[in-house]
Amino acid sequence: MSTYDLVRPLLFRLDPETAHNLTLAGLRFLEKLDLVEPFMPNVPPLPRRVMGLDFPNPVGLAAGLDKNGEAIDALARFGFGFIEVGAVTPRPQPGNPRPRMFRLPQAKAIINRMGFNNLGVHHLLANLERTAYKGILGVNLGKNFDTPIEKAADDYLILLDKLYGRVSFVTVNISSPNTKNLRALQSTEELDLLLRAIKARQADLAQRHGSYMPVAVKIAPDLDDAQIDAMAALFRRHRVDAVMATNTTLSREGVEYLRHGKEAGGLSGRPLREKSTRVLAAFHRALGGEVPLIGSGGIMSGDDAREKRNAGADLIQIYTGLIYRGPELVRDCVEALGT
Ligand SMILES: Cc1cc2nc3c(=O)[nH]c(=O)nc-3n(C[C@H](O)[C@H](O)[C@H](O)COP(=O)(O)O)c2cc1C
């Protein structure tokens, strides 16, 4: 039995967002006292080179758990090979009204409609200054809810400018279901324009800084084969540094009759796994090995991690599995990927 097996029933009695905030605050407190590590599993090394970066292991923390980069040092003790914080937007914004996060324990799932609640990029940069973490750090980029969708590229470019050289990579998030019209950026015309603008700015910044910072793109699982082929062609043409497959789903298949099963937002965890792996595999075929893949969606065990690898993932990320399984899941995944 792990420490988390004792803590989880207490946390699960609280409203999910309260439990979330309390856990992050608790982790920060314990980290100050140097008390996080003794409770964490030992994670073996399993080095990987992806996007030109050296990862100590291929298991990362997915975006959305630490939106403002407040608990990076504590989360690093979990043994992740990389950490992604955010989503961050140029200006601070409160997100949707609460409640906006729901647990579906029978399905080992979460529905969320947070809506990019975050303290803005300046606050994130200040937090990044304070962290002692030297490992691989990514930042998930979102647009402000009140930036018109035609101007979305401007938000991503502002964030790219501000974060360039300060972190290991950034992820252009065009797949959150909780910002109106965001997923429209996945359509061929919009995506072509967006990638053109982002890759041009990345090239400028690389020259100015004398160093290259990779840009990944995170996609939705709710795509058909024609959309996948069209997007993959653009990712190859624009030489996107990695594709993250996938974000949460709008589907409610398998959870519609559960308590909270019909809440609006994105569904994550076990019911997302198969759909997400199918999309990952389809991108793997369509990208022809030219663009690395990061698999995310419903990884709750070492076997699930292997399933993503077998479908083409070079790296994986977890979020909902951590809520149900705790930090042991990081070691389970790394060990499974090593076999
Ligand atoms: C509460 C919550 C907030 C999230 N916020 C973000 C976000 O800001 N940006 C993003 O790209 N993904 C976000 N995600 C999606 C996760 O990063 C992950 O891709 C998705 O949940 C699938 O993985 P999982 O089944 O392991 O949770 C969020 C997920 C949850 C549950």
Side-chain angles (χ1 to χ4, degrees):
M1 190 181 239
S2 70
T3 316
Y4 190 68
D5 290 333
L6 300 172
V7 176
R8 185 184 40 231
L10 303 175
L11 288 173
F12 273 35
R13 281 195 199 184
L14 304 172
D15 142 79
E17 192 166 344
T18 308
H20 176 92
N21 293 337
L22 200 66
T23 305
L24 278 190
L27 279 171
R28 288 169 64 186
F29 177 71
L30 290 172
E31 168 63 20
K32 285 211 176 81
L33 301 178
D34 217 3
L35 275 177
V36 179
E37 201 151 17
F39 295 103
M40 292 299 152
N42 265 328
V43 176
L46 188 63
R48 292 283 187 273
R49 191 170 170 80
V50 182
M51 304 189 276
L53 303 170
D54 287 310
F55 294 76
N57 73 61
V59 180
L61 174 66
L65 192 144
D66 187 2
K67 299 249 187 207
N68 299 304
E70 285 163 339
I72 297 170
D73 291 326
L75 290 165
R77 308 268 183 196
F78 286 44
F80 291 111
F82 61 113
I83 290 176
E84 185 172 344
V85 298
V88 67
T89 54
R91 289 167 284 115
Q93 61 179 38
N96 289 319
R98 285 171 76 162
R100 52 192 178 176
M101 193 197 288
F102 305 88
R103 273 185 224 107
L104 289 72
Q106 302 98 314
K108 297 223 166 11
I110 290 178
I111 291 177
N112 92 83
R113 52 167 178 271
M114 307 301 285
F116 292 162
N117 56 308
N118 80 104
L119 298 170
V121 68
H122 286 285
H123 190 91
L124 175 70
L125 282 167
N127 282 340
L128 295 184
E129 288 289 316
R130 276 196 282 274
T131 163
Y133 177 65
K134 296 272 180 287
I136 296 200
L137 184 70
V139 178
N140 190 268
L141 313 183
K143 74 161 204 70
N144 277 112
F145 80 101
D146 56 355
T147 300
I149 201 70
E150 321 78 75
K151 295 237 182 286
D154 294 352
D155 276 11
Y156 293 113
L157 294 178
I158 291 170
L159 294 168
L160 193 55
D161 284 347
K162 293 208 188 294
L163 288 160
Y164 202 95
R166 308 288 288 272
V167 291
S168 317
F169 70 91
V170 293
T171 305
V172 176
N173 179 356
I174 49 172
S175 50
S176 167
N178 303 315
T179 294
K180 198 169 159 242
N181 289 333
L182 190 77
R183 286 182 171 196
L185 298 174
Q186 296 183 132
S187 74
T188 314
E189 240 166 71
E190 301 296 328
L191 187 60
D192 192 18
L193 289 172
L194 180 64
L195 293 178
R196 197 180 299 251
I198 286 173
K199 291 302 286 189
R201 184 64 60 90
Q202 181 195 29
D204 276 359
L205 287 162
Q207 211 163 37
R208 217 178 310 152
H209 287 253
S211 68
Y212 185 80
M213 186 181 73
V215 178
V217 178
K218 187 162 176 180
I219 51 131
D222 309 309
L223 299 170
D224 61 32
D225 287 345
Q227 287 171 302
I228 291 172
D229 286 345
M231 290 171 77
L234 290 175
F235 293 149
R236 288 167 85 150
R237 184 173 341 133
H238 289 288
R239 299 183 177 278
V240 163
D241 295 289
V243 173
M244 237 170 231
T246 68
N247 212 315
T248 56
T249 181
L250 289 169
S251 160
R252 291 296 181 268
E253 209 184 314
V255 305
E256 59 269 62
Y257 300 113
L258 298 177
R259 181 169 145 78
H260 298 310
K262 291 201 170 74
E263 289 290 346
L267 173 69
S268 59
R270 197 172 63 193
L272 167 63
R273 196 192 86 226
E274 243 186 83
K275 189 183 181 86
S276 174
T277 301
R278 242 185 289 129
V279 170
L280 172 70
F283 269 100
H284 182 57
R285 274 191 300 276
L287 290 169
E290 281 180 32
V291 183
L293 280 159
I294 304 174
S296 142
I299 299 170
M300 319 299 280
S301 70
D303 281 347
D304 298 343
R306 260 199 303 254
E307 178 187 87
K308 297 288 187 206
R309 180 194 59 196
N310 295 343
D314 298 285
L315 303 168
I316 63 161
Q317 289 181 308
I318 54 181
Y319 185 155
T320 306
L322 274 183
I323 311 296
Y324 286 97
R325 293 274 326 276
E328 304 271 319
L329 180 59
V330 183
R331 182 190 55 202
D332 287 1
C333 289
V334 175
E335 282 181 350
L337 293 174
T339 59

